[in-house]
């Protein structure tokens, strides 16, 4: 029988102005549908690429070594009245590799062991049998990432479930590509996660639910003056159900291990952390930033007033277990005539069954040791609904000399 099938081996596409390959692949298989002829539009039932390898070079902020190709095909010779009509189903890419030479930032990245599955990409309907599930598996600079899932693309609900797994991602390297400059510098941090995302359309309203865990290890952050600001051995977040479109955020556990916070109070009384996060971006004065904030506030006033009759969904935030273990806080107070160095060591905090909607007390416990000697402890409960709180305080061997500079 006749088939519309194309197979090509050892494909090579060279660089335009440099030696070496821009793209290569060991094998390419394209299986066309006979409907391609009847509908005068490409309908691909299967696309398989084995061992593709791409060399990408970032020349400056807006140009890559493939920009000329994009520019050529983005300007069609004849104006189109609508989007291009096509359908590509069962896209399967295995053993891929991407070498990325970022000459703007002076960095090199490697994405290897790439495996990609796409059920379909189309602008016109097709009755092709779908046998490829969505997936993305790769190593990014040695860190594994895995995304897999199930989808019902032709159902009215467009229900989809995606499993996202990643480990040992370099946070500073990821943030180097952030579109805006952060007021702090993240010098270290490794990110891992095991998440599930469930998406469904209920009528015209989208619903997204996220469950799973995320972990940040060995984080270290400095301020705009490169002074130590915050570090932590580990942050663990276990999400029971996060539904951002419904303002529902329910956590099983949030745990922060061995955090360390460095603060400075200047002679003016301003805390260093306030100065850091109030730092205006380049080209923006503090005055213009303040006036912009005032204008934004004024502009939002009528909207709040006019929306008085609209029911606002209350924030549903709950945390079964919130824990801070073995933390340190260092404060350099330059406000007194004689500067004071204060410190809290081995700080532990625990909060159980916190909820913004619950009408019951939330129990907490805090304990710490002062670097200058002595201990402090507090435990009790607070009720957000009743706006009440109680505490039982215990202090032991506190040095009274700590209060001398403030008298």
């Amino acid at each position: 029988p006749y088939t519309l099938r194309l197979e090509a081996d050892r494909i090579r596409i060279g660089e335009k102005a440099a030696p070496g390959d821009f793209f290569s692949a060991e094998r390419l298989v394209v299986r066309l549908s006979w409907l391609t002829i009847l509908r005068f539009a490409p309908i691909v039932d299967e696309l398989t690429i084995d061992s593709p390898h791409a060399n990408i070079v970032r020349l400056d902020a807006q140009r890559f070594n493939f920009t000329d190709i994009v520019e050529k095909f983005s300007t069609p010779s004849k104006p189109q009245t609508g989007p291009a009509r096509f359908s590509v189903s069962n896209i399967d890419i295995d053993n891929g590799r991407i070498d990325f030479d970022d000459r703007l930032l002076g960095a090199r990245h490697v994405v290897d062991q790439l495996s990609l599955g796409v059920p379909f990409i189309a602008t016109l309907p097709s009755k092709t049998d779908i046998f490829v599930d969505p997936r993305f598996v790769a190593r990014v600079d040695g860190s594994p990432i895995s995304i897999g899932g199930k989808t019902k693309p032709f159902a009215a609900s467009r229900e989809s479930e995606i499993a996202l797994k990643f480990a040992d991602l370099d946070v500073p390297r990821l943030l180097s590509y952030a579109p805006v400059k952060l007021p702090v510098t993240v010098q270290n941090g490794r990110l891992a996660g095991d998440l599930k995302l469930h998406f469904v359309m209920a009528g015209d309203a989208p619903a997204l639910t996220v469950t799973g865990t995320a972990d940040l290890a060995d984080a270290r952050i400095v301020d705009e003056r490169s002074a130590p600001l915050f570090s932590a051995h580990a942050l663990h977040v276990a999400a029971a159900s996060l539904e951002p479109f419904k303002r529902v955020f329910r956590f099983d556990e949030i745990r922060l291990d061995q955090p360390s916070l460095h603060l400075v109070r200047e002679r003016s009384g301003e805390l260093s952390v306030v100065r850091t996060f109030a730092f205006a971006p380049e080209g923006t004065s503090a005055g213009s930033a303040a006036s912009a904030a005032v204008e934004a506030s004024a502009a939002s006033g009528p909207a709040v007033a006019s929306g008085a009759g609209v029911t606002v969904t209350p924030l549903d935030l709950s945390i079964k277990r919130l824990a801070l273990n073995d933390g340190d806080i260092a404060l350099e107070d330059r406000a007194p005539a004689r500067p004071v160095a204060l410190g809290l060591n081995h700080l532990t905090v625990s909060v159980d069954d916190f909820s913004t909607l619950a009408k019951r007390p939330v129990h907490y416990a805090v304990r710490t040791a002062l670097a200058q000697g002595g201990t402090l402890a507090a435990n009790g409960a607070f009720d957000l609904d009743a706006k009440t709180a109680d505490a039982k305080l215990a202090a032991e061997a506190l040095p009274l000399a700590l209060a001398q500079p403030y008298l």
Side-chain angles (χ1 to χ4, degrees), residues 48 85 133 235 335 342 349:
T48 301
R85 300 171 68 248
D133 287 325
L235 171 64
L342 302 173
V349 179

Side-chain angles (χ1 to χ4, degrees), residues 172 186-190 216-221 231-235 257-258:
V186 180
Q187 292 186 329
N188 194 56
R190 314 297 294 189
L216 176 65
D218 299 323
R220 186 171 67 251
I221 302 172
S231 64
H233 174 64
L235 171 64
D257 294 329
Q258 298 179 19

Side-chain angles (χ1 to χ4, degrees), residues 27-31 43-50 52 86-94 114-123 128-137:
R27 188 165 181 262
L28 170 68
V29 177
V30 181
R31 184 164 60 87
I43 299 177
V44 179
D45 289 343
E46 179 184 358
L47 172 62
T48 301
I49 307 176
D50 183 37
F86 71 95
S87 173
V88 182
S89 305
N90 301 305
I91 303 171
D92 196 354
I93 299 174
D94 283 312
L114 171 64
S115 177
L116 176 67
V118 180
F120 73 99
I121 301 175
T123 59
T128 300
D129 291 332
I130 303 297
F131 54 81
V132 173
D133 287 325
R135 75 177 188 282
F136 175 85
V137 180

Side-chain angles (χ1 to χ4, degrees), residues 11-323:
I11 301 169
R12 299 288 185 272
I13 301 176
E15 288 278 8
K16 180 179 180 180
D21 294 334
F22 166 67
F23 177 83
S24 64
E26 289 303 307
R27 188 165 181 262
L28 170 68
V29 177
V30 181
R31 184 164 60 87
L32 289 170
S33 168
W34 285 105
L35 291 176
T36 297
I37 300 174
L38 299 177
R39 303 181 71 170
F40 299 100
I43 299 177
V44 179
D45 289 343
E46 179 184 358
L47 172 62
T48 301
I49 307 176
D50 183 37
S51 300
H53 183 191
N55 288 292
I56 298 176
V57 181
R58 186 188 190 193
L59 303 173
D60 56 41
Q62 301 296 330
R63 287 195 68 82
F64 295 81
N65 61 334
F66 57 83
T67 301
D68 58 327
I69 301 175
V70 175
E71 291 174 346
K72 179 178 180 180
F73 288 97
S74 62
T75 54
S77 56
K78 296 181 180 180
Q80 295 182 341
T81 58
R85 300 171 68 248
F86 71 95
S87 173
V88 182
S89 305
N90 301 305
I91 303 171
D92 196 354
I93 299 174
D94 283 312
N95 194 31
R97 179 185 175 98
I98 301 173
D99 286 285
F100 180 41
D101 181 5
D102 190 344
R103 297 180 181 175
L104 180 65
L105 298 180
R108 289 179 177 270
H109 305 282
V110 176
V111 179
D112 61 355
Q113 299 182 12
L114 171 64
S115 177
L116 176 67
V118 180
F120 73 99
I121 301 175
T123 59
L124 53 83
S126 173
K127 296 183 179 180
T128 300
D129 291 332
I130 303 297
F131 54 81
V132 173
D133 287 325
R135 75 177 188 282
F136 175 85
V137 180
R139 288 193 317 177
V140 180
D141 293 328
S143 301
I145 297 178
S146 175
I147 304 174
K150 300 286 185 180
T151 184
K152 299 177 181 178
F154 301 111
S157 65
R158 284 183 272 175
E159 184 178 1
S160 300
E161 184 173 283
I162 297 175
L164 172 60
K165 294 183 181 181
F166 51 90
D168 205 32
L169 293 182
D170 189 328
V171 175
R173 179 165 285 187
L174 292 175
L175 291 179
S176 68
Y177 294 94
V180 295
K181 182 176 176 57
L182 300 177
V184 297
T185 300
V186 180
Q187 292 186 329
N188 194 56
R190 314 297 294 189
L191 188 64
D194 187 353
L195 304 171
K196 287 187 177 180
L197 290 74
H198 184 263
F199 177 84
V200 65
M201 288 291 296
D204 294 331
L208 173 66
T209 303
V210 181
T211 61
T213 60
D215 292 271
L216 176 65
D218 299 323
R220 186 171 67 251
I221 302 172
V222 298
D223 64 16
E224 79 283 2
R225 299 179 181 179
S226 298
L229 177 61
F230 178 81
S231 64
H233 174 64
L235 171 64
H236 173 72
V237 178
S241 178
L242 308 181
E243 302 177 59
F245 297 144
K246 297 181 179 180
R247 289 168 53 88
V248 176
F249 304 92
R250 295 172 184 166
F251 297 90
D252 285 330
E253 182 183 22
I254 299 178
R255 186 182 70 249
L256 184 61
D257 294 329
Q258 298 179 19
S260 180
L261 179 64
H262 295 259
L263 300 173
V264 176
R265 188 169 78 135
E266 305 292 349
R267 292 192 65 85
S268 62
E270 182 185 44
L271 282 174
S272 57
V273 67
V274 175
R275 179 199 67 223
T276 296
F277 287 96
F279 183 71
E282 294 182 7
T284 303
S285 65
S288 62
S291 62
V294 171
E295 292 174 5
S297 175
S300 64
V304 173
S306 64
V310 178
T311 302
V312 178
T313 303
L315 175 65
D316 183 356
L317 170 63
S318 64
I319 308 172
K320 288 186 178 180
R321 175 70 174 172
L322 175 64

